[in-house]
Amino acid sequence: MAGSGKTTFVQRLTAHLYAKQQPPYVINLDPAVHEVPFPANIDIRDTVKYKEVMKQYGLGPNGGIMTSLNLFATRFDQVMSFVEKSSTECKYVVLDTPGQIEVFTWSASGAIISETLASSFPTVIVYVMDTPRSVSPVTFMSNMLYACSILYKYRLPFIVVMNKTDIIDNGFAVEWMRDFEAFQEALESETSYTSNLTRSMSLVLDEFYQHLRAVGVSAVTGEGIGEFLEKVDDAIKEYETEYRPEYERIKKEKIEAEERKQREQLEKLKKDTGKGETVGIQEGVLTEKGMAAQIPEMGPVIGLGGGDDEDEETNQMDDEEDEEERKEYESFKRFLEKQGKKDNEPQMSDFP
């Protein structure tokens, strides 16, 4: 979190690794920091100008940091190429992130960076906590809730670093994590609504504490850095035995699901287009006889418009016209027969 001493902790960790002849590959992801007290191999400030982002998008300080990191995350594949090249020379890759917790709680950039790293290298998330500010049980619970949310979102090995132990020892925090009754006693002096909520939440986090790695560190004196590196090595083993197989399983299922979806779409496309035979057209001019020879039977003719209803109506009109013509013919025939009979009858002038 902001003000917990993350940058100072990274500086102390980097100095410790250099002293052990194990120089790390260091990446600064804080675009708003004025000075970086450690040698950074990659610095976000060289790519994204924090103040220009604020001015261009009309953002405040926090919005400018979030947007700068989101823009940088779109080019993180280039960062990965540099990290992969140096992986044979550097045992550790250290990333210093902004203090805005929103980067890892809901922002896309935090997910992109962590998941991209975890897909190629053993990745450990370190949550740096301000120990003097956590002497209040309510503040301590707030820190633990943040840590819990990040742990369950990214599902990667997790270490809580209780910084500034040179000011106050972190023993009280470790006791609260290990002893539920001790934390409840510390809450007795709190009578606010928040303390009641904290009391209820402490029951939920009891299981979370059992599998949590926590170490006290002083970024000023360097106390606890060795123990922290031991926790890191232990977390790397956990990554290889638990997280890596799970990641490979999820990746395999995702690939199979995509392939299955592609096959289903292909089958659907085949059904939609149907199965037909290729029709060949001979060259030359066809006569009516030739057409009759090549096409012995005409299939149904489909025309535009009326359809079967109009065909039936046309046929009915043709039948009515034929019936009228037949009636007229019969009537004319009878008329001629009558005229023939009249001509054959004897007239009065024919007798004497």
Side-chain angles (χ1 to χ4, degrees):
M1 295 185 67
S4 61
K6 295 181 303 304
T7 301
T8 308
F9 172 72
V10 172
Q11 185 271 334
R12 176 59 63 180
L13 176 63
T14 303
H16 181 84
L17 291 174
Y18 268 99
K20 293 180 62 177
Q21 304 300 318
Q22 295 180 345
Y25 195 87
V26 187
I27 302 174
N28 173 47
L29 295 179
D30 190 351
V33 66
H34 293 290
E35 294 181 2
V36 177
F38 49 80
N41 299 90
I42 296 177
D43 196 335
I44 188 176
R45 298 177 301 170
D46 297 334
T47 306
V48 182
K49 303 302 180 183
Y50 163 67
K51 292 185 178 180
E52 292 297 324
V53 171
M54 289 178 59
K55 185 185 299 182
Q56 181 176 352
Y57 294 98
L59 301 172
N62 287 342
I65 292 173
M66 299 290 293
T67 304
S68 298
L69 200 56
N70 288 339
L71 293 171
F72 186 77
T74 61
R75 296 291 182 268
F76 203 74
D77 56 328
Q78 300 177 16
V79 175
M80 289 296 296
S81 64
F82 289 113
V83 174
E84 289 171 356
K85 290 178 182 178
S86 62
S87 59
T88 56
E89 301 175 359
C90 301
K91 182 180 179 181
Y92 298 103
V93 179
V94 182
L95 288 82
D96 184 20
T97 63
Q100 280 66 21
I101 195 69
E102 297 87 352
V103 171
F104 293 97
T105 52
W106 59 263
S107 177
S109 57
I112 292 171
I113 292 170
S114 60
E115 292 176 5
T116 304
L117 289 169
S119 65
S120 302
F121 304 101
T123 304
V124 181
I125 296 179
V126 179
Y127 182 83
V128 182
M129 182 176 117
D130 191 336
T131 306
R133 291 184 181 179
S134 300
V135 292
S136 168
V138 175
T139 308
F140 173 80
M141 178 58 65
S142 177
N143 270 298
M144 291 299 102
L145 287 175
Y146 275 126
C148 182
S149 64
I150 296 172
L151 171 64
Y152 284 107
K153 179 176 181 180
Y154 295 101
R155 298 183 179 277
L156 288 169
F158 196 83
I159 300 175
V160 174
V161 171
M162 299 178 182
N163 196 17
K164 304 181 183 181
T165 55
D166 55 303
I167 299 176
I168 184 171
D169 187 71
N170 67 315
F172 72 94
V174 175
E175 183 183 8
W176 287 351
M177 293 170 61
R178 302 289 182 261
D179 190 351
F180 175 77
E181 296 297 333
F183 184 72
Q184 294 297 318
E185 291 178 3
L187 279 172
E188 292 298 329
S189 59
E190 301 285 343
T191 58
S192 62
Y193 169 77
T194 308
S195 64
N196 294 330
L197 178 62
T198 302
R199 190 175 289 105
S200 301
M201 293 301 299
S202 61
L203 293 171
V204 179
L205 294 180
D206 190 46
E207 183 179 355
F208 166 71
Y209 294 145
Q210 295 177 5
H211 306 283
L212 186 65
R213 298 180 182 86
V215 56
V217 170
S218 173
V220 175
T221 64
E223 181 184 1
I225 295 294
E227 184 182 357
F228 167 74
L229 290 175
E230 292 177 1
K231 298 284 186 182
V232 170
D233 293 337
D234 184 53
I236 292 174
K237 294 178 182 178
E238 181 185 354
Y239 173 89
E240 295 292 350
T241 56
E242 296 183 14
Y243 291 88
R244 171 71 75 175
E246 181 67 13
Y247 171 77
E248 295 295 338
R249 183 187 66 81
I250 295 174
K251 182 180 178 181
K252 183 179 178 181
E253 290 179 354
K254 185 177 180 181
I255 293 174
E256 291 177 352
E258 291 178 353
E259 292 177 350
R260 185 167 56 253
K261 185 177 179 181
Q262 291 178 356
R263 288 195 300 269
E264 291 175 355
Q265 291 177 348
L266 184 60
E267 291 296 331
K268 184 179 180 181
L269 181 61
K270 288 181 178 180
K271 291 180 180 179
D272 291 341
T273 55
K275 297 180 179 179
E277 297 180 357
T278 303
V279 179
I281 300 178
Q282 297 181 359
E283 296 181 357
V285 180
L286 293 176
T287 61
E288 292 183 0
K289 185 177 179 181
M291 290 182 65
Q294 293 192 24
I295 309 176
E297 295 182 1
M298 292 292 292
V301 179
I302 301 175
L304 299 177
D308 295 338
D309 294 338
E310 290 189 358
D311 292 342
E312 293 178 359
E313 185 178 350
T314 303
N315 294 333
Q316 185 177 359
M317 292 176 63
D318 292 341
D319 294 340
E320 291 177 355
E321 291 178 357
D322 293 341
E323 182 66 21
E324 291 179 358
E325 290 179 358
R326 187 182 63 79
K327 289 180 180 181
E328 290 179 357
Y329 173 75
E330 293 293 337
S331 176
F332 182 71
K333 184 179 180 181
R334 286 194 298 271
F335 172 76
L336 292 177
E337 289 177 354
K338 289 180 180 181
Q339 291 296 325
K341 289 179 180 181
K342 289 181 179 181
D343 293 339
N344 293 329
E345 289 180 358
Q347 302 294 325
M348 292 296 295
S349 58
D350 294 337
F351 294 93

